[in-house]
């Protein structure tokens, strides 16, 4: 069940990539034209870069220690839409307490008439020798994933429905340049109230499809989580090619967020434990840059080494791995 949601989100994200600059255009008309033009897209090539730079300052009555946490990710994604198939390759780097770790990853998802097969390879510099990572594999009924329903949902969404989820875009009055391409620039800001609205809508959609979000959240108190998110500010910049009306880039960052609620929570927790230390989380950068192009994706094939690992019984069960990870997270 949890694996269905995780892979489903990947599929929805891949299919939801929603002349010259026309000052008469509106946000709704640009998004409507983007929706119409994206219907003919057969494949998407994209890449995203994640950068996370956080400092945690811990002080007692005499000294202050600062812990730096750095996470960077660079992934390339190829996706074919009919039938759906996707390939993700890239690297994540993690650095904290002066120690660094690199995780290389490959993921392939192939949908057939009856099954959806997923293959994942991870190689962790902290635990694996070079070239000696682990393959994981799952094969489930295509009916359980219902990827076509996700595609249909993405294609059917209107701007008014998007605003019902608490997301309102604003169209810039002048053209924007992105890497030499003239674009319409759409911007939006999401906050904790937006997250609350999204969760409510997600619960409604889940209920309509017979799902229960408690499968994902477990015993997590979502109201408490939302309290911690007070001060959250997610800035979105969406660049849409004025010639094709297809999105070419997106920038998301949380750098204007106010972490007062989070820091207050941490202070209260330390006090409840009888610790007189103070703690402060400082957000230096938390951003994501995403670029995309269309109908130029390479043919998606599963590496022979993955098939060999499965044939030899050496591939681990991917569904069990995801379920364990979600259980640990919640």
């Amino acid at each position: 069940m949890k694996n269905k949601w995780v892979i489903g989100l990947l599929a929805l994200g891949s299919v939801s990539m929603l002349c010259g600059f026309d000052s008469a255009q509106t946000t709704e008309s640009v998004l409507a034209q983007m929706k119409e033009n994206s219907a003919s897209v057969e494949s998407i090539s994209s890449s995203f870069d994640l950068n996370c730079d956080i400092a945690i300052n811990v002080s007692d009555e005499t000294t202050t220690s600062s812990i730096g946490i750095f996470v960077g990710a660079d992934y390339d994604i190829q996706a074919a839409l009919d039938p759906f198939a996707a390939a993700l390759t890239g690297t994540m780097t993690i650095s904290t307490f002066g120690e660094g770790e690199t995780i290389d990853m490959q993921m392939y998802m192939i949908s057939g008439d009856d099954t959806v097969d997923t293959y994942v390879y991870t190689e962790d510099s902290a635990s694996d020798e070079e070239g000696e990572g682990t393959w994981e594999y799952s094969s489930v009924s295509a009916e359980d994933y219902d990827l076509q329903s996700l595609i249909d949902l993405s294609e059917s969404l209107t701007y008014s429905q998007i605003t019902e989820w608490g997301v309102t875009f604003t169209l810039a009055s002048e053209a924007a340049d992105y890497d030499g391409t003239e674009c319409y620039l759409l911007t939006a800001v999401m906050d904790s109230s937006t997250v609350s609205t999204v969760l409510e809508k997600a619960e409604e959609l889940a209920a309509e499809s017979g799902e229960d979000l408690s499968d994902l959240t477990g015993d997590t108190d979502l109201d408490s989580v939302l309290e911690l998110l007070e001060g959250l500010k997610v800035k979105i910049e969406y660049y849409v090619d004025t010639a094709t009306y297809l999105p070419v880039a997106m920038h998301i960052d949380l750098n204007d967020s106010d972490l007062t609620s989070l820091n207050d929570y941490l202070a209260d927790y330390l006090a409840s434990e009888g610790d007189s230390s103070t703690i402060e989380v400082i957000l230096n950068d938390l951003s994501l840059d995403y670029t995309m192009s269309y109908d130029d994706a390479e043919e998606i094939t599963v590496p022979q080494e993955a098939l060999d690992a499965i044939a030899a019984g050496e591939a681990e069960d991917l569904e069990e791995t995801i379920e364990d990870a979600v259980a640990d997270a919640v």
Side-chain angles (χ1 to χ4, degrees), residues 250-298:
M250 179 169 58
H251 172 82
I252 301 175
D253 73 59
L254 286 75
N255 296 336
D256 293 333
S257 297
D258 182 350
L259 303 186
T260 300
S261 294
L262 174 61
N263 287 326
D264 287 346
Y265 170 82
L266 294 173
D268 291 343
Y269 174 78
L270 288 177
S272 69
E273 295 293 313
D275 190 335
S276 61
S277 300
T278 61
I279 187 169
E280 180 183 23
V281 178
I282 299 175
L283 177 59
N284 296 317
D285 184 27
L286 181 53
S287 59
L288 172 70
D289 288 289
Y290 192 83
T291 61
M292 59 218 85
S293 59
Y294 303 89
D295 295 334
D296 58 356
E298 300 176 359

Side-chain angles (χ1 to χ4, degrees), residues 166-246:
V167 182
T168 302
F169 283 96
T170 300
L171 176 64
S173 59
E174 297 181 356
D177 178 85
Y178 188 87
D179 197 23
T181 299
E182 185 185 62
C183 296
Y184 293 105
L185 174 59
L186 299 164
T187 58
V189 176
M190 299 172 60
D191 55 20
S192 57
S193 64
T194 310
V195 175
S196 178
T197 300
V198 168
L199 287 174
E200 291 176 2
K201 292 295 183 181
E203 288 178 346
E204 291 175 7
L205 284 179
E208 290 175 4
S209 62
E211 303 289 354
D212 187 345
L213 283 188
S214 63
D215 288 337
L216 281 177
T217 59
D219 296 328
T220 303
D221 184 349
L222 292 179
D223 289 336
S224 297
V225 173
L226 289 173
E227 287 181 11
L228 293 180
L229 294 179
E230 284 293 334
L232 175 74
K233 184 172 289 187
V234 183
K235 181 175 67 177
I236 303 172
E237 297 176 345
Y238 207 38
Y239 294 84
V240 180
D241 189 333
T242 59
T244 64
Y245 284 88
L246 293 174

Side-chain angles (χ1 to χ4, degrees), residues 123-173:
E123 182 180 313
D124 191 334
S125 64
S127 57
D128 299 319
E129 296 292 332
E130 184 175 354
E132 296 185 0
T134 302
W135 279 102
E136 296 170 291
Y137 170 70
S138 73
S139 180
V140 300
S141 168
E143 292 182 357
D144 288 342
Y145 281 83
D146 199 7
L147 295 176
Q148 190 58 51
S149 292
L150 288 172
I151 295 173
D152 293 342
L153 172 62
S154 173
E155 293 179 346
S156 66
L157 284 175
T158 64
Y159 180 56
S160 61
Q161 290 173 317
I162 293 174
T163 59
E164 288 177 3
W165 286 66
V167 182
T168 302
F169 283 96
T170 300
L171 176 64
S173 59

Side-chain angles (χ1 to χ4, degrees), residues 80-86 109-118 142 147:
L81 303 185
D82 188 17
F84 184 83
M109 179 177 166
I110 309 295
S111 63
D113 293 336
D114 301 317
T115 62
V116 176
D117 297 330
T118 306
L147 295 176

Side-chain angles (χ1 to χ4, degrees), residues 295-315:
D295 295 334
D296 58 356
E298 300 176 359
E299 182 180 358
I300 298 170
T301 57
V302 178
Q304 187 61 44
E305 61 183 282
L307 302 177
D308 292 343
I310 294 169
E314 299 172 353

